[in-house]
Amino acid sequence: MIEVNFHAEASAEIEATMGFYDSRLEGLGLKFLIAVESQIERIAEFSNSGYGIDQGLQKVVVFGFPFSIIYRHAEDHVLLLAVAHDYRRPGYWLGRSQ
């Protein structure tokens, strides 16, 4: 398994989205977190398994939710850049990849 590091804003996105879902239905935020963690484990084990997107970035879909995890694979780690809604503000996270 490869080490997964989080961009600070990606961590904040996870927390904010959990809060949003919990405000709609108790326990839904936890379901979102479990779905995200499942995909992060997949990334850690198979870091090149995501869909290639832009500028060497990859993404995996968060099952059951309209979100994707955007990340960059480096030699010895993965940098998780965003947990982004699939239909809102496309590409807003591109500046994080520098």
Side-chain angles (χ1 to χ4, degrees), residues 18-93:
M18 285 177 57
F20 169 79
Y21 279 125
D22 271 337
S23 74
R24 299 296 188 251
L25 180 65
E26 187 176 336
L28 192 55
L30 179 59
K31 286 184 179 185
F32 173 76
L33 178 61
I34 290 168
V36 168
E37 287 177 344
S38 173
Q39 290 300 73
I40 291 170
E41 289 174 15
R42 176 179 166 217
I43 291 167
E45 192 166 347
F46 307 104
S47 57
N48 285 320
S49 65
Y51 301 104
I53 49 175
D54 191 34
Q55 304 173 11
L57 302 177
Q58 293 179 291
K59 78 173 189 173
V60 295
V61 173
V62 177
F63 296 118
F65 295 90
F67 283 82
S68 294
I69 299 172
I70 313 299
Y71 67 98
R72 177 183 299 284
H73 179 254
E75 191 172 310
D76 61 343
H77 71 280
V78 167
L79 177 59
L80 196 147
L81 297 169
V83 179
H85 194 283
D86 291 333
Y87 307 109
R88 297 185 187 138
R89 302 181 321 157
Y92 73 90
W93 38 262

